[in-house]
Amino acid sequence: LQNRGTLNNGDITIPVTYTEANEWSGLSGYNLLGNPYQSYLDFTAFAWENSSLWDDESKMTYGIYDPELDEYVQGTAGEQPSRGALAATGDINMHQGFFIRVNKSTGGNGEAKFTNAMRSNEPAAGTHFRGSRASYPLINFILNDEDGNDNIAVLEVGRPTYGGAQKLRLGSCKGRISLRHDNEDYGILFSEMTEGSQPLWFRAEENGIYTLSWNTANANFQELTLVDNITGVTVDMLTHDSYRFEGLVDQYRSRFKVVIGKFTGIEEQEDGASTGSATFAFFDGSEWVVNGQGSLDVVDVMGRTVYSSQLTDSQSRVNLNSLAQGVYVLRMASGNELKTQKIIIQ
């Protein structure tokens, strides 16, 4: 790439306007801006300098295009845009375009101001999801159409307050999913909830077969259930990682809900094993070492039991090398106690 001409420096203002929702965006007030500097732009500093464009802090959000995903990722002031377990830094790249959504009364027909104080020579340290900030239990939802295009929604639970980034109608997927809260659609929802039901809305723009998949991070979920409100099908999200269904344009949008049970600990991946505080098995490089006595079952993502054993010692070695690579759930039953742990066979 080449940059030609005089490089921008100092104070720069760009006009912003408020427009009502249109058929393409589905939302009101969006403006496409760009980082005018030959250096990174700290979005949080930009947001606070331009706080009058929004009516409250929770709406200080932005969307930036990720060419590897061929879609937009969303973020909010003080946070990083989210997709899966990884995220971009909290900075806007040089000359990168980004969307902000202004408020009608405070931001309409106003100006977005850029200053040198917002510039950063280096992007924020760390590339993992939210860096060293608190890691909250996380569920990623990925919707795929028949052409392989996807649409993303991210739910974090146990947060101190509700917030997040509202859903953008972007990308080429023929369907969209969003997390519904307070009569708004969110692409990223920070939720105070630790147990209960969360609406997951689906909208088909073309009739077809869709696949909804999911993964979790940062906690050991004890109960996680997907409910299809149209068909009545319920799916154990801990033993399955996807759900295939027919989506029709004229169906109502409140298609799904996610029922969240208790969760414990912080989950990290190490040598293919989950090592949270509620785990009872670990991989030693050749075999799985299981702590505790009882009936051990290994269940695949289709809900089939692929291995069973009765463990009588306080610690047993289990060889699962014959299983195909993938995600499995260990279930240990002893009397009235049932323990589960998700593992990865590599």
Side-chain angles (χ1 to χ4, degrees):
L1 296 177
Q2 268 190 344
N3 289 296
R4 298 184 178 183
T6 303
L7 298 179
N8 290 323
N9 185 36
D11 293 352
I12 296 171
T13 57
I14 298 177
V16 297
T17 59
Y18 179 90
T19 54
E20 297 293 343
N22 57 63
E23 182 178 355
W24 183 82
S25 70
L27 294 169
S28 305
Y30 269 96
N31 285 253
L32 176 61
L33 304 179
N35 175 8
Y37 299 122
Q38 184 66 9
S39 55
Y40 293 97
L41 178 76
D42 184 334
F43 178 78
T44 300
F46 169 85
W48 285 113
E49 175 68 25
N50 294 278
S51 59
S52 62
L53 299 179
W54 296 277
D55 56 359
D56 62 64
E57 294 179 23
S58 68
K59 295 183 179 179
M60 293 180 178
T61 62
Y62 62 104
I64 56 175
Y65 180 70
D66 187 325
E68 293 184 357
L69 302 176
D70 190 26
E71 65 180 31
Y72 279 74
V73 293
Q74 296 167 291
T76 187
E79 304 288 350
Q80 299 172 0
S82 309
R83 185 188 191 279
L86 299 179
T89 66
D91 294 312
I92 308 295
N93 210 327
M94 54 197 74
H95 307 310
Q96 183 172 23
F98 61 99
F99 281 101
I100 65 169
R101 187 184 187 191
V102 300
N103 184 58
K104 184 175 184 179
S105 60
T106 59
N109 299 316
E111 289 184 334
K113 184 178 181 180
F114 298 82
T115 70
N116 282 340
M118 304 173 191
R119 301 173 70 168
S120 172
N121 291 327
E122 297 180 2
T127 58
H128 288 84
F129 182 74
R130 230 181 295 286
S132 60
R133 298 181 180 91
S135 297
Y136 296 96
L138 171 71
I139 310 171
N140 300 297
F141 298 94
I142 305 97
L143 178 74
N144 280 96
D145 63 19
E146 293 174 287
D147 295 330
N149 303 309
D150 62 16
N151 193 258
I152 310 298
V154 179
L155 174 65
E156 277 191 280
V157 293
R159 300 272 300 205
T161 58
Y162 276 95
Q166 289 183 293
K167 187 72 177 181
L168 295 175
R169 186 184 178 188
L170 298 167
S172 52
C173 185
K174 298 174 183 176
R176 287 187 290 158
I177 51 173
S178 60
L179 295 154
R180 190 74 172 176
H181 174 68
D182 199 21
N183 295 320
E184 298 280 359
D185 291 310
Y186 284 83
I188 304 170
L189 177 61
F190 304 146
S191 171
E192 297 176 354
M193 178 180 61
T194 56
E195 293 183 61
S197 177
Q198 168 61 49
L200 177 65
W201 280 32
F202 165 77
R203 177 181 178 181
E205 298 183 348
E206 291 186 23
N207 295 341
I209 303 299
Y210 295 86
T211 301
L212 179 66
S213 58
W214 50 82
N215 57 69
T216 63
N218 304 332
N220 300 310
F221 287 86
Q222 303 301 308
E223 298 175 16
L224 202 58
T225 305
L226 178 73
V227 179
D228 187 330
N229 294 317
I230 292 180
T231 65
V233 171
T234 61
V235 181
D236 184 344
M237 297 172 63
L238 300 179
T239 59
H240 297 69
D241 61 3
S242 64
Y243 174 62
R244 188 174 172 86
F245 64 97
E246 181 181 19
L248 304 177
V249 173
D250 59 354
Q251 289 173 332
Y252 55 84
R253 299 182 187 179
S254 52
R255 173 89 192 230
F256 300 107
K257 66 179 177 181
V258 180
V259 181
I260 301 173
K262 296 180 180 179
F263 52 83
T264 59
I266 299 298
E267 182 176 290
E268 299 175 356
Q269 297 297 325
E270 181 178 348
D271 295 331
S274 299
T275 58
S277 61
T279 61
F280 57 91
F282 63 91
F283 190 66
D284 72 350
S286 60
E287 293 181 313
W288 288 87
V289 179
V290 181
N291 294 310
Q293 299 175 332
S295 176
L296 177 71
D297 292 323
V298 180
V299 181
D300 67 10
V301 294
M302 302 300 293
R304 300 171 299 192
T305 300
V306 296
Y307 177 92
S308 295
S309 180
Q310 188 69 35
L311 306 182
T312 58
D313 296 329
S314 59
Q315 187 176 80
S316 305
R317 302 182 69 85
V318 178
N319 191 317
L320 301 178
N321 295 335
S322 61
L323 299 182
Q325 294 183 356
V327 178
Y328 296 86
V329 173
L330 299 181
R331 293 184 179 273
M332 172 74 82
S334 179
N336 294 325
E337 182 182 8
L338 175 64
K339 296 186 292 184
T340 63
Q341 177 181 333
K342 186 178 291 186
I343 66 170
I344 300 174
I345 303 295
Q346 297 178 332

